[in-house]
Amino acid sequence: MKIDKAEVIVTSPDRNFVTLKLTTDDGLTGLGDATLNGRELAVVAYLTEHVVPLLLGRDAQNIEDTWQFLYRSAYWRRGPVTMAAISAVDVALWDIKAKAAGMPLYQLLGGASRTGLLAYGHASGKSLPEVFASVNSHLEQGYKAIRVQTGVPGLESIYGIASNKGLPGNEGVRYDHEPAQRGALPAEEDWDTRAYLRHVPTVFEAVRNEFGPELPLLHDGHHRMTPIQAAQLGKSLEPYDLFWLEDCTPAENQEALRLVRQHTTTPLAIGEVFNSIWDYQQIIREQLIDYVRSAVTHTGGITHLKKILEFAGQYQIKSGMHGPTDISPVGMAAAMHLGLAIHNFGIQEYMKHGDKTNAVFEQSYSWNNGMLHPGNKPGLGVELDVDEAGKYPYATAYLPYNRLADGTVHDW
Ligand code: EZ4
Ligand code: CO
């Protein structure tokens, strides 16, 4: 079974997505997600210029060998662009293998370890009444776990607060939280860590009082605190029993989590911007985290993330795969197959895609009563409608960035 064709498909229904489609000489197709939010075309070039020519004529069955070949033969290892490209190849090959076997992918990964995947959604609001309304709306949609992001008095525009403006071209339609914005330059947002640290615990106290002790609540610090500030936040949130505090410090310095860990029992999740097992080596071995945030899309595919999660399992660390709208339905399906199969699944982030996206990517995964399931079609269970995709050409879009009151650039 040889790889006969490799196409890189860029489409922008609601937002930009990069998809790799592999076709074998016996006509089987496989899809892989290669979307890197705000840097999409770098992965397109990496795939088109340097990976596609190496794939043609290769045996589609040898997934591990292809992974090692792409990783080691490049000489230049890791990095988000490289690892997103390798991931797309890896997932497309798993899709093909599972289709050839006539099985949903999770069966090839060992079969189902559970009946479905607990998923969390993103509630947010600038003010407390808006936060409550958003939590209520998520409960009505069936979510059984909810991330809460709040505005901070004095700050105009910050990460994680859903915009009621909707996306350009779709104004007025709320598209949950979609941080990338179309346009030639990244939007500027503002930040003040002390104001944030004062305000967030008051919001969690109010949310716990309103919604009771059982509802799993999550919060994302989005890399903006110093280690001691993160420790302070973890400690001040302890009474509200968080499921996790995510990305409390910048991802580059993994030792920072030692300091955070010394001061708080709030569970910690990190890793959405990590791209290999080497980013996790120290923090898993030293048990500095509780959840691995990597997405299949950004961490070298099923083959590599499975190794990370097996390593994590030795320390009772669980999965909490990244699932924002910038992970395409192909990437989401891959996460669901892996999450259903592994023993140490924790929770899956799940933000619904827009209608245009759902028309481009036909899905067989389901969302029922707060739980996700990848479905039972052979392969990933996602197909791309090329005609629909062709309606939406790439549109330049960037993630925002932060400045402090004095103009200093800050982590976003
Ligand atoms: O900001 O996916 O937990 N989720 C997140 C996301 C990220 C975006 C960046 O592309 O932090 O909203
Ligand atoms: Co995050």
Side-chain angles (χ1 to χ4, degrees):
M1 192 198 279
K2 296 225 179 313
I3 302 172
D4 209 29
K5 208 156 84 174
E7 298 158 275
V8 181
I9 299 153
V10 182
T11 180
S12 195
D14 305 307
R15 64 163 358 278
N16 293 314
F17 292 112
V18 180
T19 310
L20 177 71
K21 180 177 180 181
L22 300 181
T23 308
T24 64
D25 53 1
D26 47 9
L28 286 177
T29 60
L31 298 177
D33 178 24
T35 309
L36 186 61
N37 204 0
R39 294 292 184 272
E40 293 87 356
L41 300 185
V43 190
V44 172
Y46 192 100
L47 281 169
T48 313
E49 305 292 333
H50 302 294
V51 174
V52 166
L54 308 181
L55 292 178
L56 302 177
R58 282 187 74 81
D59 190 336
Q61 295 174 108
N62 299 340
I63 302 179
E64 178 74 30
D65 181 68
T66 298
W67 196 99
Q68 298 297 341
F69 166 67
L70 292 175
Y71 184 79
R72 292 174 201 281
S73 73
Y75 185 66
W76 310 106
R77 294 179 188 192
R78 307 188 279 164
V81 175
T82 301
M83 296 303 275
I86 294 178
S87 169
V89 176
D90 184 77
V91 172
L93 291 178
W94 276 110
D95 191 12
I96 287 170
K97 190 179 280 298
K99 282 178 180 171
M103 292 177 185
L105 176 55
Y106 72 81
Q107 291 291 3
L108 286 192
L109 300 174
S113 288
R114 55 196 53 77
T115 54
L117 307 173
L118 175 67
Y120 73 90
H122 290 195
S124 69
K126 273 196 102 158
S127 64
L128 205 49
E130 281 179 29
V131 170
F132 281 13
S134 180
V135 173
N136 272 317
S137 131
H138 280 78
L139 291 172
E140 282 159 22
Q141 292 170 57
Y143 280 103
K144 297 216 174 325
I146 300 181
R147 187 185 93 158
V148 174
Q149 302 296 126
T150 169
V152 173
L155 297 181
E156 194 42 47
S157 171
I158 64 170
Y159 167 79
I161 310 304
S163 158
N164 285 312
K165 284 201 306 258
L167 295 172
N170 216 9
E171 285 86 358
V173 180
R174 182 172 163 140
Y175 186 46
D176 208 318
H177 166 62
E178 171 54 72
Q181 289 167 41
R182 288 179 182 167
L185 292 170
E188 187 177 304
E189 299 189 343
D190 46 1
W191 187 246
D192 176 344
T193 306
R194 290 190 63 231
Y196 166 78
L197 292 178
R198 282 195 304 273
H199 188 64
V200 169
T202 69
V203 170
F204 274 90
E205 181 183 20
V207 169
R208 267 286 170 239
N209 287 338
E210 180 72 12
F211 296 96
E214 277 182 37
L215 180 65
L217 296 173
L218 302 83
H219 181 69
D220 192 344
H222 225 251
H223 320 283
R224 288 166 303 196
M225 286 164 274
T226 65
I228 202 68
Q229 288 168 337
Q232 206 182 322
L233 182 64
K235 219 168 156 175
S236 62
L237 291 175
E238 276 171 23
Y240 316 116
D241 186 26
L242 259 58
F243 187 95
W244 77 38
L245 171 61
E246 171 182 347
D247 289 342
C248 60
T249 50
E252 296 92 334
N253 180 10
Q254 284 129 32
E255 275 173 50
L257 295 171
R258 277 193 196 145
L259 195 145
V260 182
R261 213 39 158 184
Q262 279 164 17
H263 293 283
T264 181
T265 56
T266 292
L268 301 177
I270 204 163
E272 69 185 40
V273 304
F274 290 4
N275 51 68
S276 83
I277 199 164
W278 306 104
D279 298 323
Y280 285 103
Q281 197 182 37
Q282 178 186 10
I283 57 177
I284 289 178
R285 213 180 41 222
E286 294 187 24
Q287 306 184 75
L288 302 182
I289 58 168
D290 301 281
Y291 295 92
V292 164
R293 286 286 289 143
S294 274
V296 172
T297 302
H298 298 133
T299 321
I302 301 264
T303 297
H304 196 64
L305 184 51
K306 194 165 185 289
K307 290 174 185 175
I308 298 174
L309 292 172
E310 278 162 4
F311 174 35
Q314 294 176 32
Y315 299 91
Q316 295 166 281
I317 297 168
K318 295 185 177 182
S319 72
M321 289 178 232
H322 196 206
T325 39
D326 46 285
I327 304 290
S328 86
V330 174
M332 288 304 299
M336 290 178 212
H337 285 281
L338 183 58
L340 200 69
I342 58 173
H343 174 66
N344 56 329
F345 170 80
I347 198 166
Q348 174 64 53
E349 183 178 24
Y350 177 55
M351 295 168 73
K352 293 169 184 168
H353 284 112
D355 293 341
K356 290 180 193 161
T357 303
N358 293 336
V360 170
F361 297 94
E362 296 151 22
Q363 305 148 20
S364 59
Y365 55 78
S366 62
W367 160 254
N368 267 317
N369 204 18
M371 308 291 276
L372 290 162
H373 192 283
N376 283 305
K377 284 217 181 117
L380 283 173
V382 178
E383 294 300 333
L384 186 140
D385 183 327
V386 180
D387 295 331
E388 277 296 314
K391 291 183 189 168
Y392 308 107
Y394 170 80
T396 303
Y398 286 107
L399 287 167
Y401 77 111
N402 270 335
R403 283 192 193 275
L404 306 179
D406 70 356
T408 307
V409 172
H410 190 74
D411 298 284
W412 175 74

